Structures are given as C-alpha cells and as structure tokens.
Amino acid sequence: MNRLAQTLKAGLSSLANGILRPLGYEIVNRRRLVDFYLHEYESYEQYREVQTYHNKRKIDRVWADEATLRVLCDELRREIPNKVHLTGICHGTRNGFEQSFIAAHAGHDVTGTEISDTADQFERTVRWDFHDVNEAWVSKFDFVYSNSLDQAWNPKLAVETWLNQLNGAGVLALEYAEAHSPTHASEMDPFGVRPTVVPYVLCQWFGHDVSVRCVKCRKSNYGNDAWLFLVRKNRDTVVALASGPGSATDGLGFDSAPEGA
C-alpha cells in the first residue's frame, strides 16, 4: 500500500472512530483480533534474502536492553543455582549485543547466531540459521535466549531446535513484547503472537514435554513491558506434537489472520 493510500485509510478510520467511540465501538486492524499471524514467503531463499537485507539495514539498532538481560541473568542463577559459569547461546543477535553483555555482566560463556553474512564482523557470533540443527550444539547449553522468534519462518521448528540444544538442567528464555504481536508482523518479522498467548502456543506445540514460567520486566531502551518466558524440558528430547510441515498454525486452536489482513 502506497503512502497516499495509507494516509487516506488512516484518515477514514479516524473519522469513523470519532463517530463510533461514543457509542462504544471502534474500527481496528483485523490482526488486533487474532492471537497470532504467520507471513508466508515464496521460498526459503526469499526468507533468507529478506532477513539479510533488514539485518544490514538495522545493523546499529539493538532491541535487547540491559535491564531485561540483567533480569535474565538473575533468573538463570535462580533456575540453575549450582553452577556459577553457564554456557549459553543467543539466537538472532544482529550486532552481538546480547552475548557480549551477558558474558561481561555474568561471566557466562555465550555464543550468538545470525543468519546474515554480517555475523563475521562481531565477536562471539556464528553465521547460522537458527532453525537448523547443529549436531555440536545438541544437549550442550545451560541456556538458550532469543528475542527473535518473530523472525522465524517456522517458529515451531525453531523452538524445537532450541529446546534440543539445552542440557538436562537447561533453560530456554524467550523475550516477548507487544511489538512481537500480530499487528507488527510483516515480511521482515513473519511471526506475530500476542505475549499473553505464548504459553498456550508452547503447550499446544510440545504438551507435557515442557514447563513454562513467566517473568515480566520493563525494557530500559524503549520503556515498554517485556515478558521472559522461561521454558524447561521435561524430557531429554523434545519433539513437536502437531502434525504437518511445522508452521505456526499446525494443530493450534487459535485464530490466525488471513494473508493481507
């Protein structure tokens, strides 16, 4: 949609809402009414190209923040109290802020992954598609952290891969905010899910194979609420329950927005 059409649409919505709100009604984007949304690409190559393009365009921007990562480090000490120096991996780290901060602040041994060829420019970063299994990482880490599940073309597969990178006592930490909801999903960030729905999605995907705890915090860089979902494996190996190709909608009882909504 071009800028003129967007402006016209916004103006008409504003006018209509001015009339409807006193009556208790409001016109909203259809994605505000659904629990999740998954953009579909024409091919995997298109997905990789889009992610690489936006990585380079936003290379200096950092979503991760010190306040949330401090909470994460505190929660990891709580979850894994008998080990001082943890091994971990952060997925979708762009310029490597997450792993650098955690390593410096908590003294943990942390690696990051990034799909773009810019990964080679940053310390502790490996170029890797976080959906893919790396046999050297299976059952290796005390923790896996990501705020980038919204960038997954197949989020269920990504989470399955991350869970299987944890050792027996390990914890998967997923950071979510309203910016990861369906209204913000796009070709750049294909998977949008409301934070309050994340635990239900995880339970639907993995059933009794996982347990979930939630910690709410406030981001220091954007000033908005964030949720850390701390996920533990209840079995050594986690396999997604839903049938089919592994898309976000397989086996879920939630509503998803139609393409183009």
Side-chain angles (χ1 to χ4, degrees):
M1 184 181 299
N2 60 41
R3 184 168 298 180
L4 177 61
Q6 289 178 328
T7 302
L8 180 60
K9 182 178 179 181
L12 290 173
S13 296
S14 178
L15 177 63
N17 282 329
I19 299 171
L20 293 173
R21 282 196 185 105
L23 303 176
Y25 299 95
E26 184 179 4
I27 295 175
V28 298
N29 186 300
R30 279 181 289 177
R31 292 194 199 170
R32 283 181 57 184
L33 306 177
V34 300
D35 295 308
F36 67 85
Y37 172 83
L38 183 64
H39 173 82
E40 294 186 8
Y41 297 92
E42 295 178 3
S43 65
Y44 174 75
E45 288 70 25
Q46 183 191 36
Y47 165 74
R48 193 178 188 101
E49 289 173 2
V50 168
Q51 294 303 310
T52 299
Y53 168 76
H54 288 292
N55 167 275
K56 294 178 178 180
R57 183 178 65 84
K58 301 167 63 176
I59 198 67
D60 295 324
R61 301 185 198 176
V62 179
W63 171 261
D65 66 294
E66 293 188 7
T68 305
L69 292 178
R70 288 180 189 276
V71 172
L72 170 64
C73 291
D74 290 343
E75 293 301 324
L76 290 174
R77 292 190 191 97
R78 180 177 175 180
E79 292 279 347
I80 313 172
N82 299 322
K83 192 172 181 181
V84 177
H85 301 292
L86 307 181
T87 59
I89 189 165
C90 303
H91 288 299
T93 62
R94 193 176 297 155
N95 60 20
F97 176 82
E98 294 97 312
Q99 64 260 30
S100 296
F101 179 86
I102 295 171
H105 175 69
H108 300 326
D109 180 11
V110 194
T111 301
T113 69
E114 176 53 56
I115 195 171
S116 171
D117 54 11
T118 56
D120 298 337
Q121 301 175 20
F122 301 102
E123 187 178 6
R124 300 174 179 267
T125 306
V126 176
R127 187 182 186 189
W128 193 261
D129 182 335
F130 57 48
H131 298 83
D132 296 342
V133 174
N134 184 327
E135 293 296 338
W137 295 344
V138 174
S139 302
K140 176 179 179 178
F141 299 106
D142 295 309
F143 71 92
V144 176
Y145 162 80
S146 184
N147 56 50
S148 299
L149 188 59
D150 60 323
Q151 295 171 12
W153 68 270
N154 189 326
K156 185 174 69 177
L157 175 62
V159 175
E160 180 183 337
T161 299
W162 300 350
L163 286 168
N164 287 322
Q165 290 170 349
L166 296 172
N167 58 32
V171 177
L172 168 62
L174 300 175
E175 180 185 335
Y176 256 86
E178 289 297 336
H180 298 109
S181 64
T183 53
H184 295 271
S186 63
E187 183 183 58
M188 177 179 67
D189 299 317
F191 181 51
V193 58
R194 293 191 288 124
T196 52
V197 177
V198 171
Y200 299 97
V201 171
L202 294 172
C203 289
Q204 189 71 26
W205 283 346
F206 303 107
H208 295 296
D209 282 358
V210 300
S211 55
V212 184
R213 183 167 70 88
C214 178
V215 178
K216 190 175 181 180
C217 46
R218 190 80 174 172
K219 293 183 71 65
S220 55
N221 52 354
Y222 291 102
N224 56 311
D225 291 334
W227 290 260
L228 285 174
F229 296 99
L230 304 172
V231 189
R232 280 188 174 274
K233 295 190 299 183
N234 297 330
R235 302 187 182 191
D236 289 340
T237 301
V238 172
V239 178
L241 299 178
S243 60
S247 72
T249 56
D250 286 339
L252 287 177
F254 307 112
D255 293 328
S256 60
E259 189 71 37

